[in-house]
Amino acid sequence: MKLLGLLVVLGVGSWAAGDDSEPRKEPSQRLLTFLSLFNGYFSSAKEVKAEKAELGYPVHDVINATFRNVFVPALPNEITFYLEEEDNGVVYRMQILVIREDELGIIRIAPYNFTDTTKYKPGQFDVTKDLENVRLEELSPTRPDCEIVFMQTDVNVFVGTFPDCTRWVDGGHPKYAFTLSCRTITALVYWGKSREKDSLLPYDHRKIVSYPLLPYVAPGAENFKPPCNCS
Ligand SMILES: *[C@@H]1O[C@H](CO)[C@@H](O)[C@H](O)[C@H]1NC(C)=O
Ligand SMILES: *[C@@H]1O[C@H](CO)[C@@H](O)[C@H](O)[C@H]1NC(C)=O
């Protein structure tokens, strides 16, 4: 009896060792679809090129954005993405996004600042090597009103609000309406003037590169394909 008691205690002790946050539950199909649509390198260059050709001048800026599934050793139990956004070649936002789905199926994303954007040129930050050195205490949570939220509105469509927490306008952050679908992320500035050229039409960020999800996200995640009719 005594030995059995000791074994039980040891077993529980080693399960909890070094891990004080709750283990994550398996992601739903909805979350996997969201993550795989979101996982890519996007650019509005095509839209800008078409505007120059048709009108002789651009209505939008060239915005290139990376939203990429990464593993952050400092956040081993979270699904994380690396975000890097560039406006005409200047990196203006680098964040770590912690992505969860709530009990209503709403995708909730907490952005964390972790480094100084001015130190980097587009594409210079190495998501495999450089994230290893990011420590928990360097991840600074942004304000609660920086939360990014998405809801699913159709098979491959997610619509949400994405505040620009790097800017302040009239006591608040500019807010983008994002629509994420198979080939694009469209982003409309719907409140507050943000960094880029103002336009009543959304920025149309085409997916240039699609990244696979990482195996830690779920068993077989690296082979997960969203139910799109496109490749
Ligand atoms: C943005 O992406 C487009 C399309 O891939 C590319 O042609 C352009 O050079 C990129 N711009 C910058 C500043 O990286
Ligand atoms: C996060 O970084 C941006 C600059 O990229 C800055 O404007 C913002 O105030 C920072 N937020 C916090 C909470 O540190």
Side-chain angles (χ1 to χ4, degrees), residues 41-43 45 62-64 86 88-90 122 208:
Y41 176 70
F42 300 83
S43 175
V62 175
I63 305 289
N64 289 353
E86 311 139 33
N88 286 311
V90 177
I208 311 283

Side-chain angles (χ1 to χ4, degrees), residues 21 33 51 62 73 113 131 138 152 160-161 168 175 216 223:
S21 57
T33 301
E51 289 165 354
V62 175
N113 283 349
L131 283 173
E138 291 167 325
Q152 185 166 22
T161 293
W168 288 95
K175 290 182 181 62
Y216 81 83
N223 298 318

Side-chain angles (χ1 to χ4, degrees), residues 11-80:
V12 169
S14 64
W15 174 73
D19 185 3
D20 48 10
S21 57
E22 253 181 69
R24 184 162 56 74
K25 59 178 191 336
E26 286 274 296
S28 66
Q29 288 296 303
R30 175 192 284 120
L31 183 54
L32 285 170
T33 301
F34 174 85
L35 296 171
S36 65
L37 294 176
F38 198 36
N39 200 11
Y41 176 70
F42 300 83
S43 175
S44 67
K46 194 174 173 194
E47 180 182 40
V48 171
K49 194 174 165 205
E51 289 165 354
K52 283 185 183 157
E54 295 292 323
L55 308 169
Y57 59 92
V59 179
H60 295 88
D61 282 330
V62 175
I63 305 289
N64 289 353
T66 299
F67 301 103
R68 183 166 187 172
N69 186 203
V70 290
F71 178 69
V72 182
L75 296 167
N77 292 326
E78 300 289 356
I79 295 176
T80 47

